[in-house]
């Protein structure tokens, strides 16, 4: 069955076209939709490729009191995302074939949108076996693993015969964090902004440099998650010039918030790496040097967040705030639709090899978000579909809102209402 989306505004070109969708794919484009076919009139609304979030923590299995595949993908679809790539720090962690298959089963049942998984590594003997199941990458937390083990991981992955998988890295140096944290804790203070002193920019720069050296030495592709400082971006820029295969990701909070929010919002703004002061933080002028925006949607309960600064878990839920916040920046002329599409649709599809995603082009999946650029809103965590009802963006005024999300031609969100759908593994 085919149908037409009539009079969609394509950006940045600002032209109106009609799109034919058949069997969940984009079939063709026409200036004027044919009369008799089934038609939905978009009346000149802006359309974007469905957003791809390469960095989410949906907490399923094992931590479903924080989030699960249904609530997490409900939040995603309200926020205009049609594909998510889930992180491995669930219980059990996605470190083995068995855990990967278990997560696949859960997601096939509960996910409203399409999904892929990053695999974790706790023992290199599992790498080859789990790689056959096609994780989008192997994720390594440099704040948690020893240097020798990190080297072992690169070594093992470099020995895989066929296509070598991507390595995603959380770049904060374990040893430095330990030293700085002990020093801060000795002071016996509990005001939230001291958390940033426990993981200063140097901890990130050190880990980024190590990761880049390993990528060079082993000839592997790496993706650096949630880069938070100008210095890290500059290191990555230099590495790219010397032909190291590296891509970078930033989060909406590291882009739009500074250290003062840790003071203002307390643990609701606590995340790893921490928010940075204006001198160190990335700003809009750095966008052209960044490859993707990932939300690092990392939900926790409000009760957990109410613990003291050292005991409260790090993480911010972002699936529902990211697109309205970025559309607001476009309305303010701080970024462009070209940036948005590149950072959160096209590049995630390229980096993680999602062949049918990321572009509104003939033959691609009909993953589409329709946005109303004039619709105003106020960020209110009580309205979140996510189980994590807090946000450092609480009270932010937005202009520009996703009003419809379509996954492979099925409407899954309309005006904030969620409809049934069955998400699919991205490589099936
Ligand atoms: C992540 C989480 O909650 O899973 N939190 C975060 O602050 N980014 C874990 C992590 O990446 O450290
Ligand atoms: Zn994360």
């Amino acid at each position: 069955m085919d149908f037409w989306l009539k009079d969609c505004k394509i950006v940045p070109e600002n032209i109106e076209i009609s799109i034919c969708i058949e069997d969940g794919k984009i079939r063709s484009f026409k200036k004027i939709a044919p009369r008799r076919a089934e038609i939905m009139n978009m009346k000149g609304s802006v359309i974007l490729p469905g957003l791809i979030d390469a960095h989410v923590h949906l907490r399923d299995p094992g931590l479903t009191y924080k989030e699960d595949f249904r609530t997490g993908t409900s939040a995603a679809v309200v926020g205009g995302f049609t594909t998510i790539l889930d992180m491995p720090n669930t219980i059990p962690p996605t470190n083995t074939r068995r855990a990967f298959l278990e997560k696949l089963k859960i997601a096939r049942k509960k996910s409203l949108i399409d999904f892929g998984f990053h695999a974790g590594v706790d023992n290199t003997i599992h790498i080859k076996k789990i790689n056959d199941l096609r994780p989008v990458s192997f994720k390594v937390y440099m704040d948690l693993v020893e240097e020798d083990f990190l080297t072992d991981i690169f070594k093992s992955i470099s020995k895989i015969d066929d296509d070598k998988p991507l390595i995603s890295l959380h770049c904060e140096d374990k040893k430095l964090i330990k030293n700085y944290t002990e020093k801060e804790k000795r002071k016996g203070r509990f005001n939230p902004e001291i958390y940033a002193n426990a993981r200063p920019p140097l901890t990130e720069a050190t880990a980024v440099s190590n990761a880049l050296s390993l990528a060079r030495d082993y000839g592997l592709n790496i993706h650096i998650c949630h880069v938070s400082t100008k210095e890290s971006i500059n290191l990555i820029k230099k590495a790219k010039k010397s032909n190291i295969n590296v891509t970078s990701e930033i989060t909406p909070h590291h882009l739009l918030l500074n250290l003062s929010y840790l003071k203002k919002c307390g643990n609701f703004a606590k995340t790893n790496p921490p928010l940075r002061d204006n001198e160190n933080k990335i700003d809009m002028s750095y966008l052209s040097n960044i490859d993707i925006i990932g939300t690092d949607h990392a939900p926790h309960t409000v009760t957990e967040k109410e613990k003291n600064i050292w005991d409260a878990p790090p993480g911010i839920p972002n699936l529902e705030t990211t697109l309205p916040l970025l559309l607001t920046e476009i309305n303010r002329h701080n970024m462009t639709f070209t940036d948005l599409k590149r950072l959160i649709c096209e590049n995630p599809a390229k980096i993680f090899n999602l062949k049918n995603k990321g572009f509104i082009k003939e033959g691609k999946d009909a993953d589409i978000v329709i946005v109303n650029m004039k619709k105003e809103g106020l960020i209110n965590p009580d309205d979140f579909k996510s189980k994590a009802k807090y946000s450092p963006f609480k009270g932010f005024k937005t202009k520009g809102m996703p009003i419809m999300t379509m996954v492979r031609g099925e409407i899954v969100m309309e005006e904030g209402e969620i409809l049934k759908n069955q998400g699919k593994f991205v490589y099936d």
Side-chain angles (χ1 to χ4, degrees):
M1 241 251 311
D2 66 335
F3 70 97
W4 287 80
L5 292 181
K6 180 178 150 66
D7 298 345
C8 308
K9 187 191 275 179
I10 299 284
V11 284
E13 295 84 354
N14 271 325
I15 47 169
E16 281 186 26
I17 54 155
S18 297
I19 305 173
C20 177
I21 294 171
E22 192 181 10
D23 298 330
K25 300 261 181 206
I26 295 169
R27 274 294 159 242
S28 57
F29 300 94
K30 274 209 169 98
K31 186 99 197 73
I32 295 162
R35 277 261 171 103
R36 278 199 305 276
E38 198 179 319
I39 282 182
M40 262 168 46
N41 195 340
M42 295 296 121
K43 299 181 184 156
S45 294
V46 168
I47 70 158
L48 297 168
L51 272 59
I52 300 169
D53 195 346
H55 191 147
V56 301
H57 300 264
L58 297 194
R59 312 293 192 208
D60 202 350
L63 296 162
T64 52
Y65 70 95
K66 295 180 198 258
E67 196 78 292
D68 63 42
F69 258 97
R70 181 53 57 86
T71 56
T73 58
S74 297
V77 88
V78 166
F81 290 90
T82 52
T83 304
I84 45 105
L85 307 181
D86 190 49
M87 284 295 167
N89 60 341
T90 41
I91 300 176
T94 321
N95 292 350
T96 59
R97 247 185 104 81
R98 192 194 175 115
F100 194 99
L101 290 170
E102 183 190 347
K103 191 176 270 191
L104 205 50
K105 207 162 144 191
I106 293 166
R108 284 200 170 113
K109 206 157 90 195
K110 297 202 227 171
S111 186
L112 298 170
I113 64 175
D114 291 351
F115 52 84
F117 309 139
H118 298 268
V121 192
D122 63 353
N123 187 329
T124 53
I125 61 165
H126 296 296
I127 289 179
K128 178 77 186 76
K129 287 187 214 151
I130 201 169
N131 191 46
D132 295 339
L133 298 173
R134 305 202 63 193
V136 293
S137 86
F138 284 91
K139 167 82 182 275
V140 187
Y141 291 85
M142 291 173 75
D143 55 339
L144 304 178
V145 304
E146 299 298 332
E147 254 175 65
D148 289 351
F149 184 55
L150 182 67
T151 309
D152 283 348
I153 295 171
F154 274 77
K155 211 179 273 170
S156 299
I157 291 183
S158 70
K159 284 188 191 139
I160 293 179
D161 293 331
D162 21 76
D163 282 352
K164 309 226 188 301
L166 180 66
I167 303 175
S168 296
L169 294 139
H170 178 129
C171 284
E172 290 185 284
D173 186 81
K174 188 177 182 212
K175 265 195 218 130
L176 288 176
I177 292 172
K178 187 168 177 279
N179 292 346
Y180 283 116
T181 303
E182 278 168 6
K183 197 169 127 201
E184 282 307 312
K185 282 189 172 171
R186 275 200 298 274
K187 293 182 190 162
R189 296 187 300 158
F190 286 89
N191 39 327
E193 63 275 22
I194 59 170
Y195 188 68
N197 301 341
R199 308 170 84 104
L202 179 66
T203 53
E204 183 173 311
T206 305
V208 168
S209 301
N210 287 342
L212 292 169
S213 305
L214 285 165
R216 183 196 56 216
D217 294 350
Y218 288 93
L220 294 174
N221 294 2
I222 61 169
H223 174 71
I224 301 192
C225 297
H226 44 51
V227 173
S228 72
T229 65
K230 290 178 182 138
E231 191 184 5
S232 299
I233 295 293
N234 290 331
L235 288 168
I236 294 166
K237 194 173 159 186
K238 224 169 103 191
K240 282 184 176 185
K241 279 198 187 130
S242 65
N243 290 324
I244 294 175
N245 290 318
V246 54
T247 51
S248 59
E249 168 190 295
I250 53 156
T251 69
H253 43 276
H254 291 113
L255 181 65
L256 300 173
L257 304 178
N258 62 20
L259 183 59
S260 75
Y261 282 83
L262 200 46
K263 198 168 188 173
K264 210 179 297 176
C265 308
N267 292 332
F268 295 136
K270 178 182 173 181
T271 186
N272 290 344
L275 296 177
R276 306 297 187 190
D277 60 17
N278 287 341
E279 196 184 319
N280 287 290
K281 83 180 271 296
I282 291 159
D283 58 44
M284 290 290 174
S285 69
Y286 277 70
L287 280 191
S288 60
N289 292 308
I290 291 157
D291 294 291
I292 75 167
I293 292 178
T295 72
D296 195 7
H297 178 83
H300 300 285
T301 67
V302 169
T303 315
E304 289 171 320
K305 284 291 199 180
E306 281 167 352
K307 294 180 181 175
N308 75 62
I309 185 66
W310 299 113
D311 295 339
I316 297 172
N318 263 332
L319 281 166
E320 288 158 274
T321 57
T322 299
L323 185 53
L325 288 168
L326 295 178
L327 295 175
T328 306
E329 294 304 315
I330 291 174
N331 267 322
R332 289 179 183 151
H333 305 289
N334 290 335
M335 65 187 279
T336 64
F337 279 119
T338 306
D339 294 325
L340 181 77
K341 287 180 8 180
R342 181 178 68 84
L343 291 162
I344 205 157
C345 309
E346 299 167 1
N347 278 350
K350 288 184 196 163
I351 293 168
F352 296 98
N353 206 10
L354 314 173
K355 292 209 165 62
N356 302 318
K357 308 286 187 197
F359 296 82
I360 297 178
K361 273 193 188 155
E362 279 171 34
K364 298 281 181 190
D365 285 347
D367 292 348
I368 290 170
V369 197
I370 293 141
V371 304
N372 178 341
M373 287 305 289
K374 297 208 174 93
K375 193 169 173 182
E376 297 188 11
L378 186 71
I379 293 190
N380 178 4
D382 295 337
D383 297 337
F384 286 176
K385 304 283 180 196
S386 167
K387 289 187 186 180
K389 309 227 184 279
Y390 65 88
S391 172
F393 294 109
K394 183 179 171 173
F396 273 45
K397 287 188 180 140
T398 57
K399 187 172 179 189
M401 200 90 88
I403 53 171
M404 188 188 283
T405 309
M406 208 174 253
V407 179
R408 285 178 281 104
E410 297 288 332
I411 299 171
V412 192
M413 185 281 283
E414 194 171 5
E415 298 286 354
E417 292 303 312
I418 291 167
L419 292 101
K420 271 202 199 128
N421 191 48
Q422 183 60 67
K424 210 170 108 219
F425 183 55
V426 284
Y427 300 130
D428 271 351

